[in-house]
Amino acid sequence: MSSSSRLSTDTSVREAYSADVSGLVMVPDAVARPASADEVIVTLKQASAERTPVTPAGSQTSTTGASITDRGILLSLRAMDRIIDIDVAARRAVVEPGVLLGDLNRALTAHGLLFAPDPTSLDDVTVGGAVACNASGARSLLYGATRPHVHALNVVLANGERIQVARSGLDKNTAGYAFAQEPVDWFVGSEGTLGVITRAELSLIPLPASVTGLAFPCPDEATALDLVIAIRSSALRPRCIEYFDPVALDIALTRTGALVYVEDATETPLDAWMELAESHGVASDIEVFEGEAALREARKFRHAVPATMNERGAAQRPRGGRKVSTDWAVPFRVLPQTIAAARRLVDAAGLEQPAIYGHAGNGHPHQNFIARDADELQRIEGVVEATLRHVLSIGGTVSAEHGIGKLKRKWLPLQASPAQLRVMRAVKNELDPHGLLAPGNIL
Ligand SMILES: Cc1cc2nc3c(=O)[nH]c(=O)nc-3n(C[C@H](O)[C@H](O)[C@H](O)COP(=O)(O)OP(=O)(O)OC[C@H]3O[C@@H](n4cnc5c(N)ncnc54)[C@H](O)[C@@H]3O)c2cc1C
């Protein structure tokens, strides 16, 4: 099949690629579904010559409108889904961008290895999408986001030029500006705007010998957040510390109160956990999850919250409503005050409190609001902006995980200085001078 025959302008195909989970719908002019890097190059060369915009896409689970477009070609990388090599001794895997993280980890399990980043959506997320968003998840508390786990990339630039970038592996390097020293980092988190990832060499970690999950039911939010800070401040080193507020806990487990969930891969005696919890007023009904099946169940209830809120948001679309999800983060010690301030802003606007849940150990909760119509959407966005201004005033970020995409572009200048924005634009102009890649994302 020639590359051009993989380009479709059929309405049903274009519509099939017109939505991610942001609630936005944007129908592209055409959809290209390359099966190889060579086909990506052909598509980009042709698009560049004709000045046609191209937006790369993986599984389109973006929450920010990053993987949809109504300008030019939607370039779906899903068909490039081969695991090319697993080097057990070097702990590296070479994969095409359309491989799903869940499939990759199932293949790696047989070799006692793990690709550490774990977005909640990992069974549906492509490697290309995870790299382009610098995705992270619960266990990023211990292992970090996707960035440190990307060793090398093959990238096709907007003009169709293929480049290969790999980490230097140097401990020390004073050659030139820091941001230019590791070009891999230009593309991790670039949301499709700087190049199309056609191959990734990923760094792997050994599968932990054992993982124990612990769920600490708490009477209220204050107790739960106090426990989160106590755990982070202790000598314990869990790989995740997740929080569920009463709304989220009702969705996840149809229970009242709040909950803190941790996973420990360090074989710390359970007594140490129990003692810490008890000294913070959490002593009864602590649940322990051991073994893969039990841990899977625990992760399922975690996944239920965003999945349910996405469904509730989608149901409001006919009236102009949708889910509004924040992914701000603050230094973990100021999380309780920040959540309290965020709740006050919601109350002051006369809105229903959102579900608040997620990566509390990183000072990174999600607030999930459901806007029932366009008017409520506007009021929620006003509260979100006020919350983000507060978050920034105490050293936080407007986006810790899901990226900027199209929906959060308006928040970026609140955080990035004019000089930072000029440098970002300069890099974009250098790599994509005609602004053809993923227009509308980030800048
Ligand atoms: C229920 C749910 C839970 C989620 N939980 C998390 C979470 O815990 N953590 C988290 O980080 N995210 C989470 N997300 C958001 C989303 O899953 C991640 O951002 C994910 O990394 C997107 O991967 P994707 O394959 O769907 O990429 P897409 O949505 O298709 O694309 C995302 C971005 O990557 C770019 N892109 C895709 N492929 C390439 C490529 N080959 N080359 C260059 N650019 C490319 C696109 O242009 C776009 O900018 C969640 C989403 C849902 C629906």
Side-chain angles (χ1 to χ4, degrees), residues 56 58-62 66-67 120-121 126 129 132 135-136 191 195 197 401-402:
S59 294
Q60 297 189 297
T61 65
S62 166
S67 50
T120 313
S121 44
T126 63
S136 57
E191 300 187 26
I197 297 156
E401 185 173 80
H402 291 175

Side-chain angles (χ1 to χ4, degrees), residues 20-21 55-68 75 77-78 97-98 100-101 118-122 124-138 187 190-193 195-198 302-303 306-307 310 323 359 366 400-403 405 438 441:
D20 56 13
V21 284
T55 297
S59 294
Q60 297 189 297
T61 65
S62 166
T63 61
T64 65
S67 50
I68 52 174
L75 182 75
L77 282 306
R78 282 300 308 278
L100 299 177
L101 296 191
D118 65 332
T120 313
S121 44
L122 79 110
D124 303 316
V125 167
T126 63
V127 167
V131 173
C133 290
N134 190 24
S136 57
F187 299 101
S190 64
E191 300 187 26
T193 61
V196 179
I197 297 156
T198 54
R302 165 69 177 78
H303 187 67
N310 285 341
K323 170 178 139 175
H359 320 308
H366 295 293
E401 185 173 80
H402 291 175
N441 284 1

Side-chain angles (χ1 to χ4, degrees), residues 300-345:
K300 241 190 235 166
F301 74 65
R302 165 69 177 78
H303 187 67
V305 183
T308 303
M309 295 306 280
N310 285 341
E311 278 166 28
R312 289 182 185 174
Q316 308 303 328
R317 270 182 215 152
R319 287 172 295 282
R322 62 173 169 82
K323 170 178 139 175
V324 178
S325 175
T326 67
D327 72 324
W328 51 260
V330 291
F332 76 89
R333 283 182 204 286
V334 293
L335 186 61
Q337 301 90 300
T338 314
I339 288 184
R343 290 204 185 280
R344 282 196 296 276
L345 289 166

Side-chain angles (χ1 to χ4, degrees), residues 10-34:
D10 188 273
T11 304
S12 62
V13 174
R14 294 189 296 121
E15 283 177 355
Y17 289 86
S18 65
D20 56 13
V21 284
S22 63
L24 300 177
V25 175
M26 301 174 107
V27 183
D29 298 326
V31 174
R33 290 171 286 186

